[in-house]
Amino acid sequence: MKTVIVTDSTAYIPKDVREELNIHMIPLSVVIGGETYEEELDITAGQFYEELKRQDRLPTSSQPSSGQFVALYEKLAKDYDAIISIHLSSGISGTYQGAVTAGTMVEGVKVYAYDSEISCMAQGFYAIDAAKMAAEGKSPEEIISRIDELKASLRAYFMVDDLSNLQRGGRLTSAQAIIGSLLKVKPLLHFVDKVIVPFEKIRTRKKAMNRISELIGEDASKGTALKASIIHANREEDAKEWKAELEQLYPNVDFSISYFGPVIATHLGEGAMGLTWTIK
Ligand code: MYR
Protein backbone atom coordinates (compact mmCIF):
# COMPACT_ATOMS: atom_id res chain seq x y z
CA MET A 1 0.00 0.00 0.00
CA LYS A 2 1.55 3.30 -1.09
CA THR A 3 0.53 6.26 1.05
CA VAL A 4 1.18 9.95 0.44
CA ILE A 5 0.75 12.98 2.69
CA VAL A 6 -1.09 16.17 1.78
CA THR A 7 -1.32 19.19 4.03
CA ASP A 8 -2.37 22.77 3.50
CA SER A 9 -0.27 25.90 3.31
CA THR A 10 -1.03 26.95 6.90
CA ALA A 11 1.37 24.29 8.22
CA TYR A 12 4.06 26.62 6.77
CA ILE A 13 6.45 23.76 6.09
CA PRO A 14 9.33 25.21 4.05
CA LYS A 15 9.32 24.16 0.38
CA ASP A 16 12.65 22.30 0.58
CA VAL A 17 11.35 20.19 3.50
CA ARG A 18 8.11 19.45 1.64
CA GLU A 19 10.05 18.39 -1.42
CA GLU A 20 12.49 16.24 0.53
CA LEU A 21 9.69 14.46 2.39
CA ASN A 22 7.22 14.31 -0.51
CA ILE A 23 4.57 16.34 1.30
CA HIS A 24 2.00 17.79 -1.11
CA MET A 25 0.64 21.21 -0.22
CA ILE A 26 -2.73 22.71 -1.04
CA PRO A 27 -2.77 26.50 -0.66
CA LEU A 28 -5.27 28.73 1.11
CA SER A 29 -5.55 32.27 -0.25
CA VAL A 30 -5.44 35.85 0.96
CA VAL A 31 -7.11 38.83 -0.61
CA ILE A 32 -5.04 41.95 -0.06
CA GLY A 33 -5.47 45.25 -1.89
CA GLY A 34 -8.19 43.67 -4.04
CA GLU A 35 -5.80 40.95 -5.34
CA THR A 36 -6.08 37.24 -4.51
CA TYR A 37 -2.88 35.35 -3.79
CA GLU A 38 -2.32 31.67 -3.04
CA GLU A 39 0.01 31.80 -0.05
CA GLU A 40 3.40 30.09 -0.25
CA LEU A 41 3.00 30.09 -4.08
CA ASP A 42 2.10 33.64 -5.21
CA ILE A 43 3.06 35.47 -2.03
CA THR A 44 5.64 34.78 0.68
CA ALA A 45 5.21 35.77 4.30
CA GLY A 46 7.82 38.55 3.82
CA GLN A 47 6.01 40.00 0.79
CA PHE A 48 2.69 39.84 2.65
CA TYR A 49 4.00 41.82 5.64
CA GLU A 50 5.48 44.44 3.27
CA GLU A 51 2.17 44.73 1.40
CA LEU A 52 0.28 45.00 4.69
CA LYS A 53 2.09 48.28 5.44
CA ARG A 54 0.70 49.81 2.23
CA GLN A 55 -2.92 48.80 2.83
CA ASP A 56 -5.47 50.47 5.06
CA ARG A 57 -8.09 47.76 4.54
CA LEU A 58 -7.52 44.47 6.35
CA PRO A 59 -6.87 41.41 4.18
CA THR A 60 -9.24 38.45 4.14
CA SER A 61 -8.57 34.73 3.75
CA SER A 62 -10.25 31.87 1.96
CA GLN A 63 -10.06 28.08 1.94
CA PRO A 64 -9.06 26.05 -1.16
CA SER A 65 -11.88 25.29 -3.61
CA SER A 66 -13.18 21.72 -3.89
CA GLY A 67 -11.87 21.75 -7.48
CA GLN A 68 -8.32 22.28 -6.17
CA PHE A 69 -8.68 19.34 -3.79
CA VAL A 70 -10.15 17.04 -6.43
CA ALA A 71 -7.44 17.96 -8.98
CA LEU A 72 -4.64 17.21 -6.47
CA TYR A 73 -6.20 13.95 -5.24
CA GLU A 74 -6.81 12.76 -8.82
CA LYS A 75 -3.19 13.45 -9.73
CA LEU A 76 -1.96 11.54 -6.66
CA ALA A 77 -4.39 8.67 -7.35
CA LYS A 78 -2.21 7.73 -10.35
CA ASP A 79 0.72 6.82 -8.06
CA TYR A 80 -0.70 6.09 -4.61
CA ASP A 81 -3.34 3.91 -2.94
CA ALA A 82 -3.97 6.18 0.04
CA ILE A 83 -3.79 9.88 0.82
CA ILE A 84 -3.66 11.26 4.36
CA SER A 85 -4.77 14.87 4.07
CA ILE A 86 -3.97 16.86 7.22
CA HIS A 87 -5.64 20.26 7.65
CA LEU A 88 -6.05 23.22 9.92
CA SER A 89 -8.68 23.03 12.62
CA SER A 90 -12.22 22.60 11.35
CA GLY A 91 -13.28 25.05 14.06
CA ILE A 92 -11.55 27.96 12.26
CA SER A 93 -11.71 27.01 8.56
CA GLY A 94 -13.80 24.96 6.13
CA THR A 95 -10.62 23.46 4.61
CA TYR A 96 -10.87 20.11 6.41
CA GLN A 97 -14.52 19.75 5.32
CA GLY A 98 -13.38 20.50 1.76
CA ALA A 99 -10.91 17.61 2.00
CA VAL A 100 -13.62 15.28 3.34
CA THR A 101 -15.99 16.17 0.48
CA ALA A 102 -13.33 15.92 -2.23
CA GLY A 103 -12.29 12.54 -0.81
CA THR A 104 -15.75 11.17 -1.63
CA MET A 105 -15.49 12.47 -5.19
CA VAL A 106 -12.29 10.78 -6.35
CA GLU A 107 -11.89 7.18 -7.43
CA GLY A 108 -8.98 4.78 -7.19
CA VAL A 109 -7.49 6.19 -4.00
CA LYS A 110 -8.64 6.17 -0.38
CA VAL A 111 -8.57 9.62 1.21
CA TYR A 112 -8.17 9.90 4.97
CA ALA A 113 -8.94 13.53 5.83
CA TYR A 114 -7.44 14.45 9.20
CA ASP A 115 -8.54 17.43 11.31
CA SER A 116 -5.39 18.68 13.06
CA GLU A 117 -7.61 20.78 15.39
CA ILE A 118 -4.75 23.31 15.27
CA SER A 119 -2.62 24.91 12.52
CA CYS A 120 0.90 26.21 11.73
CA MET A 121 3.95 24.16 12.75
CA ALA A 122 1.85 22.10 15.18
CA GLN A 123 0.07 20.76 12.10
CA GLY A 124 3.48 20.69 10.43
CA PHE A 125 4.78 18.30 13.10
CA TYR A 126 1.97 15.89 12.20
CA ALA A 127 2.59 16.13 8.44
CA ILE A 128 6.37 15.71 8.79
CA ASP A 129 6.15 12.59 10.99
CA ALA A 130 3.40 11.19 8.77
CA ALA A 131 5.51 11.70 5.64
CA LYS A 132 8.51 9.95 7.22
CA MET A 133 6.32 6.99 8.11
CA ALA A 134 4.74 6.90 4.66
CA ALA A 135 8.25 6.73 3.16
CA GLU A 136 8.97 3.73 5.41
CA GLY A 137 5.90 1.98 3.98
CA LYS A 138 3.75 2.21 7.13
CA SER A 139 0.01 1.74 6.69
CA PRO A 140 -2.46 4.66 6.88
CA GLU A 141 -3.79 3.25 10.17
CA GLU A 142 -0.30 3.15 11.72
CA ILE A 143 0.39 6.69 10.52
CA ILE A 144 -2.92 8.05 11.83
CA SER A 145 -2.38 6.38 15.17
CA ARG A 146 1.02 8.14 15.44
CA ILE A 147 -0.57 11.51 14.55
CA ASP A 148 -3.19 10.88 17.25
CA GLU A 149 -0.35 10.28 19.71
CA LEU A 150 1.36 13.56 18.76
CA LYS A 151 -2.01 15.32 19.05
CA ALA A 152 -2.61 13.94 22.55
CA SER A 153 0.65 15.56 23.75
CA LEU A 154 0.40 18.71 21.65
CA ARG A 155 0.27 22.08 23.33
CA ALA A 156 0.23 25.47 21.66
CA TYR A 157 -0.06 28.93 23.20
CA PHE A 158 0.10 32.22 21.38
CA MET A 159 -0.39 35.94 21.88
CA VAL A 160 -1.32 38.76 19.54
CA ASP A 161 -0.51 42.47 19.65
CA ASP A 162 -4.09 43.43 18.94
CA LEU A 163 -7.13 41.19 19.39
CA SER A 164 -9.28 43.12 16.94
CA ASN A 165 -8.16 41.13 13.87
CA LEU A 166 -9.28 37.88 15.48
CA GLN A 167 -12.54 39.46 16.56
CA ARG A 168 -13.27 40.94 13.13
CA GLY A 169 -12.49 37.66 11.38
CA GLY A 170 -14.86 35.89 13.78
CA ARG A 171 -12.17 33.46 15.03
CA LEU A 172 -12.31 34.31 18.71
CA THR A 173 -15.23 32.60 20.36
CA SER A 174 -15.92 34.24 23.65
CA ALA A 175 -18.63 36.33 25.20
CA GLN A 176 -18.41 39.92 24.03
CA ALA A 177 -17.89 41.08 27.62
CA ILE A 178 -14.87 38.83 28.05
CA ILE A 179 -13.38 40.01 24.78
CA GLY A 180 -13.95 43.62 25.89
CA SER A 181 -11.96 43.11 29.05
CA LEU A 182 -9.25 41.19 27.18
CA LEU A 183 -8.64 44.08 24.81
CA LYS A 184 -6.78 45.87 27.58
CA VAL A 185 -4.38 42.99 28.23
CA LYS A 186 -2.17 40.57 26.27
CA PRO A 187 -4.10 37.36 26.75
CA LEU A 188 -2.51 34.03 26.10
CA LEU A 189 -4.65 32.15 23.61
CA HIS A 190 -4.93 28.46 22.86
CA PHE A 191 -7.24 25.94 21.20
CA VAL A 192 -9.92 24.01 23.04
CA ASP A 193 -12.28 21.76 21.07
CA LYS A 194 -10.97 23.11 17.75
CA VAL A 195 -11.56 26.80 18.47
CA ILE A 196 -9.47 29.63 19.87
CA VAL A 197 -10.19 30.64 23.45
CA PRO A 198 -8.33 32.76 25.98
CA PHE A 199 -6.10 30.71 28.29
CA GLU A 200 -5.05 33.36 30.80
CA LYS A 201 -5.17 37.12 30.98
CA ILE A 202 -1.64 38.49 31.13
CA ARG A 203 -0.72 42.19 31.05
CA THR A 204 2.55 42.33 29.17
CA ARG A 205 4.19 40.50 26.32
CA LYS A 206 7.22 39.60 28.42
CA LYS A 207 5.04 38.08 31.16
CA ALA A 208 3.11 36.13 28.54
CA MET A 209 6.35 34.73 27.12
CA ASN A 210 7.56 33.82 30.61
CA ARG A 211 4.29 32.06 31.30
CA ILE A 212 4.61 30.01 28.09
CA SER A 213 8.16 29.19 29.11
CA GLU A 214 6.86 27.91 32.46
CA LEU A 215 4.24 25.80 30.69
CA ILE A 216 6.75 24.04 28.45
CA GLY A 217 8.96 23.64 31.53
CA GLU A 218 6.23 21.58 33.19
CA ASP A 219 6.30 19.12 30.28
CA ALA A 220 10.07 19.22 29.79
CA SER A 221 10.61 18.27 33.43
CA LYS A 222 8.69 15.00 32.94
CA GLY A 223 11.67 13.62 31.05
CA THR A 224 9.94 12.85 27.74
CA ALA A 225 11.86 14.07 24.70
CA LEU A 226 10.04 17.02 23.14
CA LYS A 227 10.22 19.02 19.93
CA ALA A 228 9.00 22.61 19.94
CA SER A 229 8.59 25.45 17.50
CA ILE A 230 8.50 29.19 18.13
CA ILE A 231 6.04 30.71 15.66
CA HIS A 232 6.25 34.42 14.85
CA ALA A 233 4.48 36.96 12.67
CA ASN A 234 7.41 38.99 11.30
CA ARG A 235 9.39 39.07 14.57
CA GLU A 236 12.33 36.93 13.57
CA GLU A 237 14.86 38.64 15.85
CA ASP A 238 12.60 38.26 18.92
CA ALA A 239 11.98 34.63 17.96
CA LYS A 240 15.75 33.98 17.76
CA GLU A 241 16.34 35.58 21.16
CA TRP A 242 13.53 33.60 22.72
CA LYS A 243 14.84 30.39 21.18
CA ALA A 244 18.27 31.01 22.73
CA GLU A 245 16.66 31.62 26.16
CA LEU A 246 14.48 28.53 25.92
CA GLU A 247 17.36 26.35 24.77
CA GLN A 248 19.35 27.37 27.83
CA LEU A 249 16.45 26.60 30.14
CA TYR A 250 15.41 23.33 28.49
CA PRO A 251 18.42 21.73 26.79
CA ASN A 252 16.52 18.45 26.31
CA VAL A 253 13.91 20.09 24.01
CA ASP A 254 14.55 20.35 20.29
CA PHE A 255 13.55 23.96 19.37
CA SER A 256 12.98 25.35 15.88
CA ILE A 257 11.60 28.61 14.52
CA SER A 258 8.64 28.81 12.15
CA TYR A 259 6.26 31.55 11.06
CA PHE A 260 2.69 32.71 10.80
CA GLY A 261 2.23 33.15 7.05
CA PRO A 262 -0.26 35.36 5.20
CA VAL A 263 -3.50 33.46 5.91
CA ILE A 264 -2.96 33.02 9.63
CA ALA A 265 -1.43 36.50 10.01
CA THR A 266 -4.58 37.92 8.40
CA HIS A 267 -6.35 36.82 11.58
CA LEU A 268 -3.61 37.27 14.18
CA GLY A 269 -1.99 40.45 12.88
CA GLU A 270 1.70 41.27 12.60
CA GLY A 271 3.70 40.78 15.81
CA ALA A 272 1.92 37.64 17.02
CA MET A 273 4.13 35.05 18.67
CA GLY A 274 3.53 31.53 19.92
CA LEU A 275 5.10 28.29 21.00
CA THR A 276 3.95 24.79 20.22
CA TRP A 277 5.41 21.48 21.37
CA THR A 278 4.77 17.79 21.40
CA ILE A 279 6.61 14.53 21.91
CA LYS A 280 9.52 13.75 19.58
C1 MYR B 1 -9.91 30.38 6.05
O1 MYR B 1 -10.21 31.45 5.49
O2 MYR B 1 -10.54 29.33 5.84
C2 MYR B 1 -8.72 30.36 6.99
C3 MYR B 1 -9.04 30.91 8.34
C4 MYR B 1 -7.84 30.89 9.25
C5 MYR B 1 -8.14 31.41 10.64
C6 MYR B 1 -6.90 31.54 11.48
C7 MYR B 1 -7.16 31.90 12.92
C8 MYR B 1 -5.89 31.95 13.74
C9 MYR B 1 -5.24 30.61 13.97
C10 MYR B 1 -4.06 30.65 14.92
C11 MYR B 1 -3.30 29.36 14.89
C12 MYR B 1 -2.22 29.27 15.92
C13 MYR B 1 -1.59 27.91 15.95
C14 MYR B 1 -0.51 27.78 16.94
Side-chain angles (χ1 to χ4, degrees):
M1 158 91 68
K2 276 181 79 185
T3 302
V4 67
I5 307 304
V6 169
T7 192
D8 59 70
S9 53
T10 71
Y12 302 117
I13 301 174
K15 187 167 183 251
D16 55 333
V17 178
R18 279 189 267 121
E19 282 175 358
E20 186 194 325
L21 297 175
N22 191 30
I23 297 173
H24 295 257
M25 186 275 281
I26 186 145
L28 279 81
S29 298
V30 274
V31 180
I32 182 162
E35 295 287 327
T36 303
Y37 301 91
E38 291 187 335
E39 67 169 355
E40 303 288 90
L41 299 179
D42 307 331
I43 190 165
T44 63
Q47 289 163 340
F48 172 79
Y49 290 117
E50 272 308 305
E51 192 56 43
L52 208 53
K53 293 189 183 60
R54 285 194 278 275
Q55 303 295 333
D56 23 274
R57 286 207 357 240
L58 282 173
T60 55
S61 66
S62 62
Q63 67 193 63
S65 67
S66 52
Q68 277 172 288
F69 271 113
V70 170
L72 177 60
Y73 291 168
E74 278 178 346
K75 191 175 99 184
L76 293 172
K78 294 185 185 130
D79 297 314
Y80 299 94
D81 311 299
I83 298 171
I84 302 179
S85 204
I86 304 169
H87 299 291
L88 76 162
S89 179
S90 61
I92 54 169
S93 172
T95 304
Y96 163 76
Q97 198 46 52
V100 172
T101 309
T104 63
M105 291 160 73
V106 290
E107 283 175 11
V109 69
K110 173 126 178 68
V111 178
Y112 298 79
Y114 191 92
D115 184 352
S116 75
E117 304 185 24
I118 189 83
S119 179
C120 304
M121 193 38 82
Q123 175 184 327
F125 285 151
Y126 302 167
I128 288 171
D129 269 27
K132 289 180 182 165
M133 291 179 75
E136 288 164 6
K138 298 281 193 280
S139 70
E141 290 72 22
E142 287 173 297
I143 298 173
I144 288 169
S145 136
R146 168 68 181 164
I147 310 176
D148 286 342
E149 227 174 80
L150 295 179
K151 191 192 255 185
S153 301
L154 189 285
R155 292 173 86 181
Y157 298 94
F158 53 102
M159 65 195 119
V160 297
D161 270 353
D162 177 2
L163 274 175
S164 55
N165 288 359
L166 268 175
Q167 257 187 293
R168 267 191 288 254
R171 261 68 178 201
L172 189 65
T173 46
S174 240
Q176 222 34 49
I178 301 176
I179 294 173
S181 69
L182 286 175
L183 285 172
K184 297 181 204 78
V185 295
K186 293 252 174 282
L188 267 192
L189 303 168
H190 70 157
F191 276 77
V192 174
D193 294 335
K194 305 175 189 175
V195 297
I196 301 170
V197 292
F199 173 68
E200 275 173 12
K201 289 189 198 179
I202 297 185
R203 286 216 167 267
T204 67
R205 186 180 185 85
K206 190 66 202 159
K207 284 190 179 143
M209 285 162 81
N210 289 342
R211 180 69 181 118
I212 300 179
S213 169
E214 253 173 45
L215 290 164
I216 191 171
E218 288 168 9
D219 282 359
S221 65
K222 291 178 192 152
T224 319
L226 300 175
K227 56 188 166 210
S229 195
I230 294 163
I231 318 171
H232 70 93
N234 212 18
R235 296 191 84 119
E236 188 150 17
E237 285 313 308
D238 292 343
K240 283 183 184 159
E241 261 180 47
W242 198 22
K243 179 170 179 274
E245 276 173 36
L246 291 167
E247 278 172 340
Q248 267 213 322
L249 288 168
Y250 311 115
N252 57 334
V253 181
D254 192 359
F255 288 99
S256 62
I257 295 182
S258 56
Y259 57 93
F260 293 116
V263 165
I264 298 297
T266 290
H267 297 271
L268 297 187
E270 192 171 2
M273 182 93 106
L275 184 68
T276 182
W277 66 92
T278 186
I279 51 171
K280 251 198 208 164

